[in-house]
Amino acid sequence: MKTTDSAVQIKNPGQNQIYAIQMREITKTFGSVVANKKVMLDLKKGEILSLLGENGSGKTTLMNMLSGIYHPDEGYIFINGKEVSIQSPRDAYKYGIGMIHQHFTLVDVFTAAENVILGLNDGSKFDRKEVSRKVSEIASRYGFEIDPEKKIYEMSVSQKQTLEIIKALYRGADILILDEPTAVLTPQETDKLFAVMRNMKKDGKSIIIITHKLNEVMEISDRVAVLRKGEYIGCVDTSETSPQALTDMMVGRATTLDIDRPDPVDPEPRLVIEGLTCIDHEGVKRLDNVSFTANSGEILGIAGIAGSGQKELLEAIAGLYPVSKGTITYKPKDKSEMSLVGMDPLLIKKSGIAMSFVPEDRLGMGLVGSMGMTGNMMLRSWRKNRGFFVNRKDPNQLANQILKNLEVVTPSTEFPVRRLSGGNVQKVLVGREIASAPAVLMTAYAVRGLDINTSYTIYNLLTEQKTKGVAVIYVGEDLDVLLALCDRLIVLCGGQVSGVVDCRNITKEEVGLLMTKYRKEGASHD
Amino acid sequence: MDLTSFLTLFHSAVVFGTVILFGALGEILTEKSGNLNLGVPGIMYLGGISGLTASFIYENGNPNASGLVSALLALISAFVFSALGGLLYSFLTITLRTNQNVTGLTLTIFGGGLANFLGGMLQKFSGGVGQVKVGKAADTFGIYIKSIAGTDTSHPLYAIFGYGWLTYIAIAIAIAIFFFLGKTRTGLNLRAVGENPATADAAGINVTVYKYLGTCIGAGISGFGGLYYTMNYIGGTWANDGTIEALGWLAVALVIFATWRPINAVWGAYLFGIAYWAYLYIAGLNRHTLELFKMLPYVVTLIVLIFVSLRRKKEDQPPAHLGLPYFREDR
């Protein structure tokens, strides 16, 4: 591993004008959790630096200390060679730092222009037209498209992100920090974003991009800084490294990138969906004539751009979303048939249908955040309980079993799950759902926000369920994973099925095309 | 109903409406900062009693008391003490992050208790129930331009110009808040704090300061509602009958009715006034059935709520972060 000279130098960087940002010995703790421990980071002027690390490695925390959301407990920050103390987001702007957060910081009922000037007070008159004009000017300079008078709630995710970047530029940011900007974008939108980033770099801006997608790191950045478990591991030139080397730095030990995929054994239809159509309360068709079959002993992947109907599909099957038309038929092993349309989750459960659902919103729909592991186990099992008082013994046993088998990191089974890290929360949820021995297991974005190790734990758990004969439905966003993990893949596009493909005989590009098949816009810009 | 009785109804509706208009305008400002202050009735109590007490102390045993000074003292004192109520609420909910609903309701109970206690004391000083009198202040508050409005209470001009000047101040405040929220940077920032404090924070807006100021100034304005009640509505005395509290709740309802828009609050307040007094002008009501008609303002609010929720227009919804605490490192 080759590290640059500056990485060795810990303190006293001096009046070095090559660097836009230098962070030295930064430590930040939250209670007893050390988020950053003596971290250092250098950002050269006019470069794109990737900040790479697994989830929970402290990337966002470190960047939040530059954007003024947090203040370091210890350490020094130098901007353009001068030591600074960034106490608030306002200070960050003063030093030319603009951060684009993963969760957008926009006011929904405001227009784009109103959001841009929010919090600014340069003493000038509040002139909406002038602001709109300036916004359009910035947009055209870097190759964005934006309507300054559009309300945020009418915007797509990618438009919101664009606006966030314009907001930072409008405030005169020279240093831009993007926190996992591609997580919510389609491949095409990602390409556009990268083009804009290159334009900004050409214009002399320095950019830090937080990510854990290695292909993007390789594509966009000049250098890569790696954090692991809150500690600084090193910084390398992108041209001199490889995805494998970066993974080693990230996880500290070699992890195989292959997912074990045994062939399905005796698949038989378990869940047959025909002509499913769902209309939301605003009259928009969320699902349009969707038909497919989920087989036992098979992982059925569902791909698509975010918001193509994945959520509605799973919720309709689980009895949480109203079905306008079509049938959902459950076919248990004994060859009987049962229609799920019109059933709510309670009825589905009472009918003896063993269905498990790992929802996207883990702490909202999946678990009760303020309860411990035991309490959350009980959510699934309390009905079995007889008598007036609850039986905590069995759920506690189950909780301990999950804690041990899945290596959940928690002080105790009574510790509120809300305070666990994302990966541990997901382990608790998946563990619970699998423990109920389902015939159908549905997961929505099961590895979103999880680090590589936890992701593999989840993949292995799903594959294990598959070999047990469970019909697994896996809604995912990472095409590489979908193609490596699933047996068959359904591609959703605008609520319609645009393709059902065999994962063993298709390329990522082909799936990408299917994802945008029915889209009228999007591809036209390229 | 003929024009004459409508004009009399309208006149009493405006006087009634102004009490709740002040309450609602203050609450709109407060709620725009994201604080759901259910202490409006208590704050109106504080405004009413502190204004009255200030005038009383000044006028009592002072035959040369000036009406102008007395009124000014009442105004300042009403604003300051109501704002202090808002400050107490702010300290509890913003700094100590107590539950806003509980704190607001407590403030209502506190304000009502304190006001009625002090009101009782004033009555004791002045010799008995109904004996409290701050004539000079009340007269000053009641001044209107007789040359335009005339004295004929059934004349249309009187129905427009025949009110004490605080009535017009209320409208002026409504317009001022409208411009402040929609046309100024500070107003935009305040709305951002109520909609999405994390965003406001990241944009470099001092969320705590905005919340404190929005709530305290809002409370000060709400307090004028209580002052208007004691000075204009019941003519410079004190009544321990709990009307201020009832009107305070109507003010909260008016905020919802107006969908957080100050200009809507103006005509909404007068409409509430008409709805409230309508029973006097409906023939054949007895003591039991008239109580049903007193529900009208609340029924109207319910209907508006139903319509607003059916239309689901984003702009008609309450500030998105209303009622929730904000703490930067909680994100």
Side-chain angles (χ1 to χ4, degrees):
Chain A
M1 187 196 310
K2 183 182 176 269
T3 52
T4 53
D5 289 341
S6 56
V8 184
Q9 182 189 5
I10 299 295
K11 262 180 86 174
N12 224 352
Q15 300 288 319
N16 202 332
Q17 285 300 317
I18 318 170
Y19 294 106
I21 292 178
Q22 289 161 298
M23 297 176 92
R24 289 292 177 274
E25 308 227 293
I26 299 288
T27 298
K28 176 75 186 172
T29 55
F30 296 101
S32 59
V33 183
V34 182
N36 286 139
K37 191 174 167 192
K38 294 196 182 299
V39 173
M40 62 163 295
L41 188 84
D42 289 326
L43 174 68
K44 285 183 192 163
K45 286 181 182 166
E47 76 165 347
I48 298 177
L49 173 77
S50 284
L51 183 56
L52 184 68
E54 293 190 89
N55 275 92
S57 58
K59 298 171 301 218
T60 304
T61 306
L62 185 67
M63 289 301 106
N64 274 336
M65 285 186 272
L66 287 178
S67 69
I69 299 286
Y70 299 145
H71 192 251
D73 300 341
E74 287 168 32
Y76 316 88
I77 298 172
F78 301 86
I79 310 276
N80 298 328
K82 280 194 203 76
E83 187 177 349
V84 296
S85 168
I86 304 169
Q87 300 284 353
S88 69
R90 188 180 282 275
D91 284 355
Y93 282 123
K94 202 172 74 193
Y95 296 120
I97 300 172
M99 182 157 170
I100 287 83
H101 295 272
Q102 212 174 349
H103 305 287
F104 297 135
T105 54
L106 297 169
V107 179
D108 252 7
V109 294
F110 285 11
T111 65
E114 282 175 332
N115 267 289
V116 165
I117 55 149
L118 200 60
L120 286 184
N121 205 350
D122 49 10
S124 69
K125 221 181 116 230
F126 180 22
D127 182 349
R128 281 162 198 275
K129 276 195 196 127
E130 175 64 16
V131 175
S132 292
R133 198 189 58 73
K134 264 177 141 174
V135 167
S136 302
E137 185 189 295
I138 293 172
S140 63
R141 187 157 88 209
Y142 295 104
F144 296 109
E145 281 157 47
I146 195 108
D147 172 8
E149 291 308 314
K150 202 168 179 176
K151 290 267 170 82
I152 304 307
Y153 62 81
E154 297 168 338
M155 287 188 172
S156 71
V157 177
S158 130
Q159 284 173 321
K160 288 181 192 174
Q161 190 179 63
T162 303
L163 179 60
E164 285 281 15
I165 297 173
I166 291 177
K167 202 166 105 180
L169 293 172
Y170 186 95
R171 281 144 206 260
D174 286 321
I175 301 160
L176 282 136
I177 304 166
L178 295 102
D179 190 358
E180 304 203 11
T182 59
V184 291
L185 301 182
T186 64
Q188 285 83 358
E189 287 168 341
T190 303
D191 288 344
K192 251 201 251 175
L193 173 70
F194 284 180
V196 164
M197 282 170 68
R198 291 193 187 100
N199 284 342
M200 294 194 293
K201 180 183 153 184
K202 247 181 259 164
D203 201 41
K205 311 279 184 198
S206 318
I207 301 169
I208 300 177
I209 172 171
I210 304 179
T211 181
H212 49 222
K213 292 185 185 164
L214 291 172
N215 57 334
E216 291 172 358
V217 171
M218 300 306 292
E219 187 187 337
I220 189 75
S221 58
D222 300 311
R223 292 192 311 139
V224 193
V226 183
L227 293 186
R228 188 203 307 153
K229 290 178 178 160
E231 291 185 58
Y232 175 76
I233 301 303
C235 190
V236 291
D237 288 337
T238 312
S239 56
E240 289 170 21
T241 187
S242 67
Q244 191 59 48
L246 288 175
T247 311
D248 289 349
M249 284 173 82
M250 239 163 94
V251 297
R253 59 180 181 275
T255 42
T256 46
L257 281 159
D258 300 313
I259 300 169
D260 182 34
R261 176 167 57 185
D263 286 331
V265 182
D266 302 331
E268 54 180 64
R270 189 64 76 230
L271 199 60
V272 181
I273 286 155
E274 270 165 32
L276 188 67
T277 301
C278 291
I279 294 168
D280 71 5
H281 57 78
E282 275 157 0
V284 179
K285 258 190 197 171
R286 292 289 167 189
L287 289 175
D288 188 1
N289 201 15
V290 169
S291 302
F292 65 89
T293 303
N295 294 324
S296 65
E298 176 188 85
I299 298 183
L300 176 69
I302 295 178
I305 297 160
S308 297
Q310 297 96 321
K311 182 170 178 270
E312 290 80 3
L313 178 60
L314 294 196
E315 291 188 0
I317 297 172
L320 294 165
Y321 205 87
V323 173
S324 307
K325 243 178 18 206
T327 58
I328 305 171
T329 315
Y330 172 69
K331 297 187 168 178
K333 271 192 186 130
D334 58 13
K335 309 289 180 205
S336 58
E337 283 192 8
M338 214 181 285
S339 169
L340 297 188
V341 174
M343 281 190 168
D344 59 20
L346 178 60
L347 202 57
I348 290 176
K349 201 172 176 184
K350 274 189 174 164
S351 313
I353 300 168
M355 187 152 67
S356 283
F357 183 21
V358 177
E360 182 182 352
D361 182 7
R362 291 158 203 164
L363 285 175
M365 266 176 82
L367 301 168
V368 177
S370 53
M371 285 188 185
M373 281 178 72
T374 305
N376 276 295
M377 295 305 132
M378 288 173 70
L379 289 178
R380 262 283 191 188
S381 63
W382 66 274
R383 265 173 223 287
K384 288 183 208 145
N385 197 52
R386 297 201 188 282
F388 185 69
F389 294 103
V390 292
N391 168 14
R392 291 183 74 86
K393 217 179 105 199
D394 297 343
N396 191 258
Q397 229 165 33
L398 176 60
N400 276 309
Q401 199 185 322
I402 291 172
L403 185 131
K404 212 178 92 207
N405 293 349
L406 302 188
E407 295 170 351
V408 179
V409 181
T410 174
S412 85
T413 51
E414 301 303 325
F415 190 73
V417 292
R418 166 172 51 88
R419 292 172 59 189
L420 303 181
S421 78
N424 287 312
V425 167
Q426 185 69 327
K427 282 178 182 173
V428 173
L429 178 56
V430 173
R432 183 188 75 189
E433 291 305 313
I434 287 175
S436 65
V440 178
L441 172 62
M442 299 190 290
T443 63
Y445 307 108
V447 296
R448 180 181 279 175
L450 304 193
D451 60 53
I452 288 182
N453 281 325
T454 318
S455 297
Y456 274 86
T457 309
I458 303 288
Y459 301 147
N460 291 338
L461 282 170
L462 296 181
T463 307
E464 189 188 314
Q465 291 300 303
K466 160 183 148 181
T467 52
K468 280 183 183 168
V470 176
V472 181
I473 298 178
Y474 177 88
V475 174
E477 45 200 348
D478 188 331
L479 286 182
D480 292 318
V481 171
L482 277 163
L483 290 178
L485 174 72
C486 305
D487 299 297
R488 286 187 305 136
L489 190 64
I490 294 174
V491 186
L492 284 180
C493 177
Q496 293 175 306
V497 176
S498 58
V500 182
V501 298
D502 180 354
C503 295
R504 288 175 179 79
N505 301 310
I506 193 155
T507 63
K508 205 170 132 186
E509 286 69 30
E510 287 170 291
V511 177
L513 276 177
L514 286 171
M515 280 167 66
T516 52
K517 195 174 168 187
Y518 291 100
R519 295 242 304 189
K520 289 188 185 73
E521 51 177 66
S524 61
H525 302 304
D526 301 324
Chain B
M1 192 194 296
D2 57 9
L3 183 67
T4 315
S5 50
F6 177 75
L7 288 175
T8 4
L9 169 61
F10 184 74
H11 195 275
S12 24
V14 169
V15 175
F16 176 93
T18 302
V19 178
I20 60 174
L21 178 58
F22 274 120
L25 288 174
E27 183 66 3
I28 287 175
L29 203 62
T30 303
E31 293 197 7
K32 282 292 179 186
S33 79
N35 279 346
L36 177 64
N37 188 354
L38 292 179
V40 177
I43 282 167
M44 283 168 66
Y45 260 124
L46 289 178
I49 195 64
S50 54
L52 184 72
T53 310
S55 291
F56 183 81
I57 292 169
Y58 173 68
E59 283 188 32
N60 199 29
N62 180 359
N64 301 323
S66 135
L68 190 66
V69 173
S70 187
L72 212 59
L73 281 174
L75 267 181
I76 294 168
S77 148
F79 186 85
V80 167
F81 282 93
S82 306
L84 280 177
L87 185 67
L88 180 67
Y89 174 89
S90 301
F91 179 70
L92 288 169
T93 61
I94 304 167
T95 305
L96 302 181
R97 280 182 285 145
T98 58
N99 180 292
Q100 294 192 10
N101 295 340
V102 174
T103 310
L105 291 173
T106 313
L107 185 58
T108 288
I109 298 166
F110 168 76
L114 185 71
N116 283 322
F117 170 72
L118 291 174
M121 257 170 62
L122 290 185
Q123 281 165 350
K124 194 116 193 167
F125 274 127
S126 48
V129 174
Q131 300 294 309
V132 188
K133 198 74 199 156
V134 288
K136 286 187 172 149
D139 287 345
T140 312
F141 278 113
I143 289 173
Y144 66 97
I145 309 168
K146 284 209 175 67
S147 56
I148 302 176
T151 47
D152 176 9
T153 56
S154 61
H155 195 276
L157 279 177
Y158 185 78
I160 299 171
F161 297 105
Y163 308 95
W165 45 273
L166 265 185
T167 315
Y168 306 101
I169 300 261
I171 299 172
I173 290 178
I175 295 169
I177 293 179
F178 169 76
F179 272 101
F180 169 71
L181 290 175
K183 310 283 176 201
T184 67
R185 283 170 193 269
T186 323
L188 190 72
N189 292 352
L190 179 74
R191 273 160 55 208
V193 168
E195 290 288 341
N196 192 337
T199 294
D201 195 8
I205 296 168
N206 192 329
V207 174
T208 308
V209 167
Y210 269 86
K211 271 178 170 277
Y212 261 89
L213 282 179
T215 306
C216 291
I217 295 173
I221 294 171
S222 290
F224 286 149
L227 182 71
Y228 189 86
Y229 178 80
T230 51
M231 293 299 181
N232 290 62
Y233 198 81
I234 57 173
T237 178
W238 186 250
N240 271 1
D241 58 2
T243 312
I244 291 186
E245 184 172 347
L247 293 181
W249 292 124
L250 262 183
V252 176
L254 180 60
V255 173
I256 301 163
F257 178 90
T259 57
W260 293 266
R261 289 186 178 88
I263 303 296
N264 283 0
V266 176
W267 63 262
Y270 301 157
L271 187 73
F272 272 32
I274 290 174
Y276 187 84
W277 289 123
Y279 71 92
L280 286 181
Y281 298 84
I282 293 167
L285 293 179
N286 61 33
R287 274 177 61 187
H288 309 295
T289 48
L290 73 80
E291 292 298 331
L292 280 176
F293 277 84
K294 284 186 176 175
M295 293 192 327
L296 267 179
Y298 301 97
V299 174
V300 171
T301 304
L302 279 177
I303 292 170
V304 166
L305 267 181
I306 291 168
F307 269 101
V308 165
S309 66
L310 281 180
R311 271 173 56 215
R312 287 176 170 277
K313 210 177 143 206
K314 279 266 188 185
E315 281 78 6
D316 286 344
Q317 302 305 316
H321 215 256
L322 183 62
L324 304 170
Y326 175 68
F327 180 55
R328 182 183 287 172
E329 303 214 348
D330 253 2
R331 302 159 18 122

mmCIF file of all heavy atoms in Angstrom, chain A residues 4 39 41 96 111 126 138 153 210 227 240 288 295 309 311 378 391 393 426 459 489 491 501:
data_model
loop_
_atom_site.group_PDB
_atom_site.id
_atom_site.type_symbol
_atom_site.label_atom_id
_atom_site.label_comp_id
_atom_site.label_asym_id
_atom_site.label_seq_id
_atom_site.Cartn_x
_atom_site.Cartn_y
_atom_site.Cartn_z
ATOM 1 N N THR A 4 0.622 8.689 0.335
ATOM 2 C CA THR A 4 1.328 9.918 -0.036
ATOM 3 C C THR A 4 2.090 10.453 1.172
ATOM 4 O O THR A 4 1.809 10.104 2.316
ATOM 5 C CB THR A 4 0.357 10.973 -0.539
ATOM 6 O OG1 THR A 4 -0.653 11.140 0.452
ATOM 7 C CG2 THR A 4 -0.282 10.561 -1.841
ATOM 8 N N VAL A 39 -8.176 11.042 13.302
ATOM 9 C CA VAL A 39 -8.250 10.917 11.849
ATOM 10 C C VAL A 39 -7.527 12.078 11.183
ATOM 11 O O VAL A 39 -7.550 13.204 11.683
ATOM 12 C CB VAL A 39 -9.722 10.899 11.384
ATOM 13 C CG1 VAL A 39 -9.820 10.953 9.874
ATOM 14 C CG2 VAL A 39 -10.416 9.658 11.921
ATOM 15 N N LEU A 41 -6.865 13.914 7.166
ATOM 16 C CA LEU A 41 -7.386 13.910 5.802
ATOM 17 C C LEU A 41 -6.841 15.128 5.072
ATOM 18 O O LEU A 41 -6.793 16.222 5.637
ATOM 19 C CB LEU A 41 -8.921 13.976 5.828
ATOM 20 C CG LEU A 41 -9.578 13.786 4.469
ATOM 21 C CD1 LEU A 41 -9.726 12.304 4.172
ATOM 22 C CD2 LEU A 41 -10.949 14.443 4.433
ATOM 23 N N GLY A 96 -16.057 28.595 2.636
ATOM 24 C CA GLY A 96 -16.249 28.082 1.283
ATOM 25 C C GLY A 96 -16.525 26.595 1.215
ATOM 26 O O GLY A 96 -16.299 25.962 0.188
ATOM 27 N N THR A 111 -39.898 27.115 -3.104
ATOM 28 C CA THR A 111 -39.419 26.922 -4.466
ATOM 29 C C THR A 111 -37.907 26.683 -4.434
ATOM 30 O O THR A 111 -37.259 26.878 -3.402
ATOM 31 C CB THR A 111 -39.676 28.157 -5.339
ATOM 32 O OG1 THR A 111 -38.893 29.239 -4.822
ATOM 33 C CG2 THR A 111 -41.140 28.556 -5.343
ATOM 34 N N PHE A 126 -34.421 41.497 -1.169
ATOM 35 C CA PHE A 126 -34.928 40.158 -1.402
ATOM 36 C C PHE A 126 -35.653 40.167 -2.741
ATOM 37 O O PHE A 126 -36.821 40.496 -2.836
ATOM 38 C CB PHE A 126 -35.865 39.780 -0.262
ATOM 39 C CG PHE A 126 -36.454 38.406 -0.384
ATOM 40 C CD1 PHE A 126 -35.850 37.431 -1.146
ATOM 41 C CD2 PHE A 126 -37.603 38.097 0.307
ATOM 42 C CE1 PHE A 126 -36.393 36.168 -1.236
ATOM 43 C CE2 PHE A 126 -38.154 36.833 0.217
ATOM 44 C CZ PHE A 126 -37.556 35.881 -0.555
ATOM 45 N N ILE A 138 -25.812 29.714 -12.787
ATOM 46 C CA ILE A 138 -24.931 28.669 -12.239
ATOM 47 C C ILE A 138 -25.238 27.338 -12.923
ATOM 48 O O ILE A 138 -24.332 26.597 -13.319
ATOM 49 C CB ILE A 138 -25.138 28.528 -10.716
ATOM 50 C CG1 ILE A 138 -24.642 29.786 -10.015
ATOM 51 C CG2 ILE A 138 -24.422 27.297 -10.181
ATOM 52 C CD1 ILE A 138 -24.961 29.830 -8.549
ATOM 53 N N TYR A 153 -41.498 19.784 -3.534
ATOM 54 C CA TYR A 153 -42.294 18.555 -3.486
ATOM 55 C C TYR A 153 -42.703 18.064 -4.868
ATOM 56 O O TYR A 153 -43.235 16.973 -5.008
ATOM 57 C CB TYR A 153 -43.506 18.698 -2.551
ATOM 58 C CG TYR A 153 -44.514 19.758 -2.930
ATOM 59 C CD1 TYR A 153 -45.472 19.527 -3.897
ATOM 60 C CD2 TYR A 153 -44.526 20.992 -2.283
ATOM 61 C CE1 TYR A 153 -46.397 20.487 -4.235
ATOM 62 C CE2 TYR A 153 -45.445 21.971 -2.613
ATOM 63 C CZ TYR A 153 -46.389 21.704 -3.590
ATOM 64 O OH TYR A 153 -47.304 22.667 -3.920
ATOM 65 N N ILE A 210 -18.182 11.060 -0.697
ATOM 66 C CA ILE A 210 -18.252 9.933 0.227
ATOM 67 C C ILE A 210 -18.973 8.812 -0.492
ATOM 68 O O ILE A 210 -20.030 9.030 -1.071
ATOM 69 C CB ILE A 210 -19.051 10.295 1.493
ATOM 70 C CG1 ILE A 210 -18.460 11.528 2.169
ATOM 71 C CG2 ILE A 210 -19.119 9.118 2.446
ATOM 72 C CD1 ILE A 210 -19.206 11.946 3.409
ATOM 73 N N LEU A 227 -11.216 5.146 5.453
ATOM 74 C CA LEU A 227 -11.429 5.070 6.891
ATOM 75 C C LEU A 227 -11.913 3.658 7.220
ATOM 76 O O LEU A 227 -12.601 3.028 6.425
ATOM 77 C CB LEU A 227 -12.511 6.052 7.336
ATOM 78 C CG LEU A 227 -12.266 7.558 7.247
ATOM 79 C CD1 LEU A 227 -13.433 8.292 7.886
ATOM 80 C CD2 LEU A 227 -10.969 7.946 7.926
ATOM 81 N N GLU A 240 -3.153 4.337 -9.030
ATOM 82 C CA GLU A 240 -2.178 3.346 -8.575
ATOM 83 C C GLU A 240 -2.798 2.272 -7.694
ATOM 84 O O GLU A 240 -2.106 1.588 -6.955
ATOM 85 C CB GLU A 240 -1.055 4.039 -7.799
ATOM 86 C CG GLU A 240 -0.165 4.861 -8.709
ATOM 87 C CD GLU A 240 0.795 5.731 -7.906
ATOM 88 O OE1 GLU A 240 1.040 5.406 -6.729
ATOM 89 O OE2 GLU A 240 1.267 6.726 -8.468
ATOM 90 N N ASP A 288 -48.950 -1.549 -12.692
ATOM 91 C CA ASP A 288 -49.782 -1.618 -13.874
ATOM 92 C C ASP A 288 -49.674 -3.015 -14.486
ATOM 93 O O ASP A 288 -48.664 -3.344 -15.108
ATOM 94 C CB ASP A 288 -49.322 -0.534 -14.862
ATOM 95 C CG ASP A 288 -50.251 -0.397 -16.047
ATOM 96 O OD1 ASP A 288 -51.260 -1.129 -16.080
ATOM 97 O OD2 ASP A 288 -49.959 0.445 -16.912
ATOM 98 N N ASN A 295 -41.081 -18.761 -7.243
ATOM 99 C CA ASN A 295 -40.965 -20.196 -7.006
ATOM 100 C C ASN A 295 -40.276 -20.484 -5.687
ATOM 101 O O ASN A 295 -39.472 -19.688 -5.206
ATOM 102 C CB ASN A 295 -40.162 -20.848 -8.130
ATOM 103 C CG ASN A 295 -40.879 -20.779 -9.446
ATOM 104 O OD1 ASN A 295 -42.115 -20.880 -9.506
ATOM 105 N ND2 ASN A 295 -40.134 -20.561 -10.517
ATOM 106 N N GLY A 309 -42.319 1.095 -8.300
ATOM 107 C CA GLY A 309 -43.422 0.245 -7.857
ATOM 108 C C GLY A 309 -42.984 -0.904 -6.968
ATOM 109 O O GLY A 309 -43.804 -1.728 -6.583
ATOM 110 N N LYS A 311 -41.934 -0.912 -3.820
ATOM 111 C CA LYS A 311 -42.504 -0.825 -2.482
ATOM 112 C C LYS A 311 -43.969 -1.241 -2.516
ATOM 113 O O LYS A 311 -44.428 -2.038 -1.699
ATOM 114 C CB LYS A 311 -42.368 0.635 -2.025
ATOM 115 C CG LYS A 311 -42.841 0.928 -0.653
ATOM 116 C CD LYS A 311 -42.410 2.359 -0.276
ATOM 117 C CE LYS A 311 -42.904 2.754 1.092
ATOM 118 N NZ LYS A 311 -44.206 3.395 1.074
ATOM 119 N N MET A 378 -41.136 -10.268 20.273
ATOM 120 C CA MET A 378 -42.499 -10.515 20.739
ATOM 121 C C MET A 378 -43.544 -9.986 19.765
ATOM 122 O O MET A 378 -44.658 -10.495 19.706
ATOM 123 C CB MET A 378 -42.708 -9.886 22.113
ATOM 124 C CG MET A 378 -41.986 -10.621 23.209
ATOM 125 S SD MET A 378 -42.109 -9.746 24.741
ATOM 126 C CE MET A 378 -43.830 -9.978 25.106
ATOM 127 N N ASN A 391 -45.317 -13.696 28.055
ATOM 128 C CA ASN A 391 -44.218 -14.616 28.256
ATOM 129 C C ASN A 391 -42.989 -14.040 27.564
ATOM 130 O O ASN A 391 -42.953 -13.924 26.350
ATOM 131 C CB ASN A 391 -44.610 -15.971 27.655
ATOM 132 C CG ASN A 391 -43.435 -16.912 27.552
ATOM 133 O OD1 ASN A 391 -42.375 -16.669 28.146
ATOM 134 N ND2 ASN A 391 -43.608 -17.990 26.811
ATOM 135 N N LYS A 393 -39.919 -15.248 28.100
ATOM 136 C CA LYS A 393 -38.818 -16.203 28.116
ATOM 137 C C LYS A 393 -38.445 -16.677 26.715
ATOM 138 O O LYS A 393 -37.285 -16.605 26.310
ATOM 139 C CB LYS A 393 -39.186 -17.400 29.005
ATOM 140 C CG LYS A 393 -37.989 -17.921 29.799
ATOM 141 C CD LYS A 393 -38.373 -19.080 30.680
ATOM 142 C CE LYS A 393 -37.860 -20.381 30.086
ATOM 143 N NZ LYS A 393 -38.547 -21.558 30.614
ATOM 144 N N GLN A 426 -30.662 -4.334 11.033
ATOM 145 C CA GLN A 426 -31.119 -5.213 9.966
ATOM 146 C C GLN A 426 -30.954 -6.681 10.348
ATOM 147 O O GLN A 426 -31.785 -7.506 10.023
ATOM 148 C CB GLN A 426 -30.359 -4.889 8.671
ATOM 149 C CG GLN A 426 -30.825 -5.640 7.458
ATOM 150 C CD GLN A 426 -32.221 -5.210 7.010
ATOM 151 O OE1 GLN A 426 -33.056 -4.852 7.818
ATOM 152 N NE2 GLN A 426 -32.455 -5.232 5.722
ATOM 153 N N TYR A 459 -26.771 -11.832 2.486
ATOM 154 C CA TYR A 459 -26.836 -12.659 1.266
ATOM 155 C C TYR A 459 -26.828 -14.139 1.626
ATOM 156 O O TYR A 459 -27.602 -14.933 1.087
ATOM 157 C CB TYR A 459 -25.645 -12.386 0.330
ATOM 158 C CG TYR A 459 -25.510 -10.958 -0.130
ATOM 159 C CD1 TYR A 459 -24.252 -10.401 -0.361
ATOM 160 C CD2 TYR A 459 -26.630 -10.157 -0.344
ATOM 161 C CE1 TYR A 459 -24.109 -9.088 -0.780
ATOM 162 C CE2 TYR A 459 -26.499 -8.841 -0.759
ATOM 163 C CZ TYR A 459 -25.233 -8.307 -0.976
ATOM 164 O OH TYR A 459 -25.095 -7.020 -1.379
ATOM 165 N N LEU A 489 -34.817 -12.578 -12.391
ATOM 166 C CA LEU A 489 -34.912 -11.158 -12.077
ATOM 167 C C LEU A 489 -36.108 -10.567 -12.811
ATOM 168 O O LEU A 489 -36.284 -10.789 -14.007
ATOM 169 C CB LEU A 489 -33.627 -10.467 -12.542
ATOM 170 C CG LEU A 489 -33.380 -9.025 -12.118
ATOM 171 C CD1 LEU A 489 -33.240 -8.944 -10.606
ATOM 172 C CD2 LEU A 489 -32.115 -8.497 -12.778
ATOM 173 N N VAL A 491 -37.714 -7.007 -13.857
ATOM 174 C CA VAL A 491 -37.349 -5.595 -13.926
ATOM 175 C C VAL A 491 -38.627 -4.785 -13.972
ATOM 176 O O VAL A 491 -39.490 -5.005 -14.820
ATOM 177 C CB VAL A 491 -36.478 -5.296 -15.154
ATOM 178 C CG1 VAL A 491 -36.002 -3.863 -15.114
ATOM 179 C CG2 VAL A 491 -35.299 -6.245 -15.205
ATOM 180 N N VAL A 501 -35.964 -11.932 -16.468
ATOM 181 C CA VAL A 501 -34.751 -12.466 -17.071
ATOM 182 C C VAL A 501 -34.091 -13.493 -16.166
ATOM 183 O O VAL A 501 -34.323 -13.529 -14.960
ATOM 184 C CB VAL A 501 -33.738 -11.336 -17.375
ATOM 185 C CG1 VAL A 501 -34.328 -10.361 -18.375
ATOM 186 C CG2 VAL A 501 -33.332 -10.605 -16.104
#
